[in-house]
Amino acid sequence: MFHYQNMEIGIALSGGGARGIVHIGVLQALEDYGITVNRISGTSMGAIIGAFYAQGLRPSEIMDIVTERKFVNMFRWRLLKTGLLPLDYLEQRLQEVIPHNSFEGLKLPLHVCVSNLTTGSSQIIDHGPLHLWIKASATIPVLFPPIMINDQQYVDGGLTNNLPVEPLLAHSARTIGVHVNHNMVLPKISGLKAIAERVYQLAVYQTVNPRMQACDLIIDPVDARKYGTFDFNRADELYEIGYKGTEDVLFQLTRNLDLDRMQELHQRKKSLTPESKALNSREQML
């Protein structure tokens, strides 16, 4: 089991629509292998999942929410007369799950990335009312109307910063970046939907590259890229990609370790902790 004594671990969760479900598998794998996340930064779907996790929901509970039919229907690709889809159900679920509606009320520090259309800049929000900023971060341009906050228009944070690691670098001893839009080669792209999605992904990827270099650990599963932004009906597969992708990274990090010696080291160090010394003293007295 990995345990980082007095070391804060921050995790940056990228946007990616349905591919963001990969984050849930990642968070579950980190928990299972004893790595505790202390701070979260997220964009778009990463911000949604990050908010639920920061509130204290377990990965399985978050999975239940993002696979609800009403939640999935928000992200259907439809050419309506207005060309726009509402995010009303997202706001409803946020109100139900995070009733205090504040960054300060969360159990873990959360940073939400949004794109300010008015100023043309990226912004990181980490205080004040929460729900509206989450909606803004998940507002995919064209699919959803911009969110108006303080007389300025906001959309998907991934447009300007799809891996917001910056606030983690200022607070965390170690940073993990989870990118779910691996830039694989696509030999043939046809159809309006596929071309529009590819163009948007390529533009967004330009915001990610330098930020990946700043992370201590990157989880960027190749298989996630085979899924579309709206493939919420394949949630179980995406979850498994996140879980197994995390295991693969942890295996690569530890493959050359002598696990017997590591176990011996852990036992020896644990015996030297104040708690262990106090326990040994009480046992000797008895």
Side-chain angles (χ1 to χ4, degrees):
M1 176 179 290
F2 293 89
H3 181 67
Y4 297 90
Q5 187 72 26
N6 299 322
M7 181 181 290
E8 184 170 285
I9 305 296
I11 190 166
L13 305 177
S14 77
R19 288 188 297 273
I21 294 171
V22 167
H23 297 318
I24 306 175
V26 170
L27 291 169
Q28 184 63 67
L30 292 176
E31 285 190 4
D32 289 349
Y33 286 93
I35 298 176
T36 300
V37 170
N38 309 107
R39 183 177 294 269
I40 305 170
S41 182
T43 289
S44 197
M45 186 60 71
I48 295 173
I49 291 171
F52 289 143
Y53 195 72
Q55 174 65 4
L57 270 67
R58 304 276 42 86
S60 60
E61 295 175 306
I62 302 173
M63 191 70 171
D64 288 340
I65 292 174
V66 302
T67 53
E68 291 172 352
R69 186 163 61 88
K70 289 183 179 180
F71 188 96
V72 172
N73 284 341
M74 288 191 304
F75 298 94
R76 297 291 188 194
W77 179 273
R78 303 172 187 164
L79 295 177
L80 302 181
K81 291 182 180 180
T82 61
L84 304 173
L85 294 173
L87 282 171
D88 295 342
Y89 187 66
L90 173 59
E91 186 168 12
Q92 176 186 327
R93 291 304 272 131
L94 287 169
Q95 290 171 350
E96 293 169 356
V97 177
I98 312 176
H100 54 77
N101 187 24
S102 69
F103 284 87
E104 291 79 4
L106 297 170
K107 295 181 180 179
L108 294 177
L110 175 69
H111 307 269
V112 172
C113 182
V114 294
S115 297
N116 188 323
L117 277 185
T118 305
T119 65
S121 62
S122 175
Q123 291 181 218
I124 303 289
I125 311 299
D126 59 11
H127 61 277
L130 174 68
H131 298 168
L132 203 55
W133 289 114
I134 297 294
K135 280 184 63 178
S137 185
T139 298
I140 302 172
V142 181
L143 188 61
F144 302 116
I147 301 295
M148 186 69 72
I149 304 176
N150 298 327
D151 296 324
Q152 296 187 330
Q153 292 180 304
Y154 292 89
V155 294
D156 190 338
L159 183 65
T160 52
N161 183 350
N162 204 33
L163 194 68
V165 68
E166 290 87 344
L168 304 183
L169 297 175
H171 295 92
S172 303
R174 292 290 181 268
T175 57
I176 301 173
V178 187
H179 182 239
V180 299
N181 307 293
H182 189 84
N183 193 28
M184 65 190 297
V185 174
L186 298 178
K188 184 178 181 180
I189 307 168
S190 59
L192 178 62
K193 174 185 173 182
I195 293 173
E197 189 172 345
R198 178 63 166 171
V199 169
Y200 184 67
Q201 287 163 350
L202 289 175
V204 166
Y205 187 72
Q206 304 311 307
T207 76
V208 171
N209 244 337
R211 294 177 171 93
M212 292 175 75
Q213 306 303 318
C215 295
D216 295 302
L217 185 69
I218 283 290
I219 300 171
D220 183 22
V222 177
D223 288 344
R225 197 64 183 81
K226 300 175 183 177
Y227 296 78
T229 302
F230 309 103
D231 283 342
F232 284 88
N233 60 323
R234 304 177 74 179
D236 290 339
E237 299 170 37
L238 287 160
Y239 173 93
E240 286 300 318
I241 287 172
Y243 194 97
K244 292 177 181 177
T246 305
E247 285 190 321
D248 289 344
V249 170
L250 294 179
F251 171 72
Q252 291 300 324
L253 284 175
T254 60
R255 63 184 304 177
N256 295 322
L257 292 180
D258 184 327
L259 297 182
D260 290 333
R261 290 199 65 182
M262 285 298 297
Q263 185 174 11
E264 178 187 339
L265 173 63
H266 276 260
Q267 291 173 343
R268 180 156 42 87
K269 290 296 183 181
K270 285 180 180 179
S271 69
L272 298 176
T273 63
E275 296 83 358
S276 298
K277 290 180 178 179
L279 180 61
N280 290 335
S281 297
R282 287 196 295 270
E283 289 176 348
Q284 289 175 4
M285 292 175 63
L286 294 174

